[in-house]
Amino acid sequence: MTSYLIGLVGTGIGPSASPALHEREADELGLRYVYRLLDLDVLRRPVVDVLEAARLAGFDGLNVTHPAKQAVLEHLDELSPEAEALGAVNTVVFERGRAIGHNTDATGFARSLTRGLPGVRMDDVVLLGAGGAGAAVAHALLSLGAGRLTVHDVDGVRSAKLVTALRERFGAGRARTGGPDALHRADGLVHATPTGMAAHPGSPVPAELLHPRLWVADIVYRPLETALLAAARARGCRVLHGGGMVVLQAAESFRLFTGADPDPARMLRHFDALEGESARAA
């Protein structure tokens, strides 16, 4: 039986659904698959040390999450075109001693949005967060046809850097920096920061900025019903939780690690079983 050793690198990753998602799908495909959590807070080592230790220990690949999606870049041997364009990596494949970085977040988010909020208006969209996940979401939104994207991050330098990259790829008029006040005229809001996770409770925007014409998508999936989504529902917004993105990016990572074709629909059912009834709320 073909076997794989995979890990997840990041902080606060104890509640992650990734091990179960990957291992259950591997069982369905007849693969021996072990998925380990490599929490930087627990290991107390920088990401470069964890990357090298995983390589030496014979890992076949790693998923990478907050806060290492951009920090890992300089320690890889090669980047896929998508990862290079996004400036962020969420998947590392070890091949013949080389560490190759990929990004499956952008396609995962795009497929989740299309599936969960079909037909939403995207003339004007606000993105909160310009880190690794935010960069992937930004590229996905503009690739899907968003007319104008306003990017806000507490780190102004980071948001400006992302907007520069977006303008180079999609055109000068497609992206700009701005603040949450841009929500007054926006069609949609995508939240791509850790706020709302168990370790980072709260909502990234005041509820009074939300309005019924606005759709709201959150990439956080633990919990599925974040404070932001609860406030958006109460204000009459269409909402999308982060479950679809985590599953669909995981499916593509699984393909990169194994070369096997996972069943995304089956993985979504796995996620529903893991999360219970709350996973069905969209």
Side-chain angles (χ1 to χ4, degrees):
M1 180 183 290
T2 305
S3 62
Y4 298 90
L5 177 60
I6 308 297
L8 173 64
V9 179
T11 62
I13 55 178
S16 174
S18 292
L21 280 172
H22 282 251
E23 290 178 351
R24 286 190 182 196
E25 185 60 17
D27 287 344
E28 295 283 354
L29 296 174
L31 302 175
R32 181 172 296 169
Y33 199 103
V34 177
Y35 195 110
R36 295 287 182 250
L37 298 180
L38 304 173
D39 195 311
L40 297 172
D41 285 342
V42 175
L43 297 172
R44 297 185 180 276
R45 304 296 301 176
V47 66
V48 60
D49 289 355
V50 176
L51 181 71
E52 188 59 24
R55 190 198 315 243
L56 293 174
F59 277 71
D60 296 288
L62 300 170
N63 282 132
V64 182
T65 190
H66 175 79
K69 292 183 180 184
Q70 294 169 322
V72 75
L73 290 171
E74 62 183 295
H75 308 300
L76 301 175
D77 300 303
E78 184 181 339
L79 295 176
S80 71
E82 181 77 354
E84 187 167 14
L86 271 59
V89 160
N90 78 323
T91 302
V92 177
V93 178
F94 295 114
E95 292 182 4
R96 296 181 294 278
R98 292 172 58 79
I100 303 171
H102 300 264
N103 194 300
T104 68
D105 279 335
T107 55
F109 177 79
R111 291 169 184 167
S112 177
L113 184 66
T114 301
R115 171 182 173 272
L117 290 176
V120 290
R121 185 168 178 166
M122 292 199 297
D123 293 339
D124 199 327
V125 180
V126 174
L127 169 65
L128 301 181
V137 167
H139 284 258
L141 286 166
L142 292 176
S143 296
L144 287 172
R148 181 173 62 180
L149 184 66
T150 301
V151 180
H152 174 69
D153 193 284
V154 293
D155 184 339
V157 172
R158 186 162 64 176
S159 57
K161 183 178 178 181
L162 175 57
V163 165
T164 298
L166 295 172
R167 287 173 172 172
E168 290 174 355
R169 185 176 183 185
F170 296 99
R174 302 287 300 282
R176 64 176 187 173
T177 58
D181 59 322
L183 289 171
H184 290 301
R185 60 182 175 275
D187 302 309
L189 164 65
V190 183
H191 172 239
T193 85
T195 302
M197 297 172 63
H200 304 275
S203 176
V205 296
E208 55 267 25
L209 292 181
L210 307 174
H211 53 81
R213 302 184 311 280
L214 191 71
W215 56 264
V216 179
D218 203 328
I219 71 164
V220 173
Y221 73 95
R222 289 280 176 88
L224 283 174
E225 184 78 348
T226 60
L228 172 62
L229 293 189
R233 286 184 194 278
R235 305 283 285 194
C237 305
R238 293 178 66 186
V239 302
L240 178 68
H241 63 58
M245 178 181 175
V246 75
V247 173
L248 296 170
Q249 65 79 23
E252 185 57 29
S253 289
F254 186 98
R255 188 191 314 276
L256 290 168
F257 292 143
T258 67
D261 289 328
D263 183 337
R266 182 167 59 206
M267 292 182 74
L268 286 163
R269 293 194 296 273
H270 290 166
F271 183 80
D272 283 353
L274 288 167
E275 300 298 319
E277 287 300 321
S278 59
R280 296 169 178 79

